[in-house]
Amino acid sequence: MNTGTGTTSEHLTIVKHPLVQHKLSIMRDKATSTAKFRQLLREISMLLAYEVTRHLPLTTERIDTPICEMDAPTLQGRKLALISILRAGNGLLDGILELVPSARVGFVGLYRDPETLQPVQYYCKLPSELADRVVIVVDPMLATGNSSAKAIDLLKEAGAKNIIFLCLLAAPEGVQRMKEAHPDVPVVTAAVDDHLNDHGYIVPGLGDAGDRLYGTK
Ligand code: URA
């Protein structure tokens, strides 16, 4: 389905909004500074948050406007849970939190073994009552999909049932891996690039998102 600003299948939504695409192109440019990269990721994350929260359930609450009473739409159920996959996930997290400041936040620390490319867990701190929350997992880069699939394994073990995965850029290999490992978890991204190189980097990509975000090497 083409929604005008996004291309959608049951498992994958690509947010094609011109502002998202324009900002992403600047982020891809290796000449873009750390400060600019960070600012753009924050801005894009707000635009992606708009898309990823599109189906949150609503209820109504009786309120008084200055004119009359009304049944006003409000978000239903427990607060949203945002789970950041450290460390680059925090770049997406910050912008989303500006839009949804009451969200509960969890962190999963996984690093990628450079030889096997398999994820190794070093940290996990999650909000309570995950089973009753919409859980949005954030990581800018869906590369092999191994870390994302592992993080979602952990969340399901902790009871999460309604999970959405949000990234900035995906490789086809990562999308496929997620579809096989977690077919019930929709993936929302700004772009699906061409392929992964031998080091597990997305091509053309934007390089190492964590390094570009924090100015490390
Ligand atoms: N992680 C990154 O930061 N960049 C890639 O291209 C792949 C994984």
Side-chain angles (χ1 to χ4, degrees):
M1 179 179 34
N2 194 326
T3 59
T5 56
T7 305
T8 304
S9 71
E10 208 174 306
H11 186 255
L12 178 70
T13 298
I14 303 173
V15 182
K16 294 196 167 158
H17 192 287
L19 284 177
V20 170
Q21 295 303 317
H22 180 81
K23 288 174 194 292
L24 174 58
S25 295
I26 302 171
M27 293 179 75
R28 288 179 186 274
D29 188 338
K30 68 179 184 186
T32 298
S33 70
T34 298
K36 185 80 184 160
F37 187 94
R38 197 179 295 151
Q39 179 202 329
L40 286 164
L41 184 54
R42 194 180 189 87
E43 290 169 6
I44 283 196
S45 62
M46 289 193 231
L47 296 166
L48 294 175
Y50 182 81
E51 186 62 41
V52 85
T53 52
R54 178 179 289 281
H55 301 293
L56 289 183
L58 286 172
T59 183
T60 56
E61 220 172 78
R62 195 79 182 158
I63 61 163
D64 294 308
T65 77
I67 310 297
C68 66
E69 280 187 56
M70 75 170 283
D71 292 317
T74 54
L75 292 173
Q76 186 182 39
R78 286 196 190 279
K79 307 287 183 216
L80 207 62
L82 303 174
I83 310 298
S84 168
I85 303 183
L86 297 172
R87 67 184 160 147
N90 286 8
L92 274 179
L93 173 71
D94 292 344
I96 303 175
L97 271 177
E98 278 192 30
L99 282 189
V100 197
S102 61
R104 304 303 188 242
V105 179
F107 296 94
V108 175
L110 297 168
Y111 71 86
R112 199 161 51 147
D113 185 297
E115 273 166 24
T116 64
L117 302 184
Q118 292 305 308
V120 182
Q121 183 194 329
Y122 65 89
Y123 189 74
C124 185
K125 186 81 179 169
L126 302 175
S128 63
E129 290 138 340
L130 280 186
D132 303 329
R133 302 182 192 277
V134 174
V135 177
I136 300 176
V137 183
V138 295
D139 189 354
M141 309 299 272
L142 176 57
T144 61
N146 290 334
S147 304
S148 319
K150 170 83 178 171
I152 290 167
D153 287 343
L154 294 171
L155 293 170
K156 287 184 173 174
E157 280 163 27
K161 294 188 181 77
N162 190 353
I163 306 173
I164 307 169
F165 183 84
L166 175 65
C167 59
L168 177 63
L169 259 187
E173 294 89 335
V175 173
Q176 187 57 28
R177 169 88 173 92
M178 282 287 284
K179 194 171 180 179
E180 285 164 12
H182 297 290
D184 56 316
V185 175
V187 172
V188 177
T189 185
V192 178
D193 273 8
D194 196 57
H195 66 280
L196 285 181
N197 68 16
D198 292 344
H199 303 286
Y201 281 93
I202 298 175
V203 180
L206 50 72
D208 187 299
D211 283 345
R212 298 215 47 207
L213 182 59
Y214 296 115
T216 49
K217 258 273 179 256

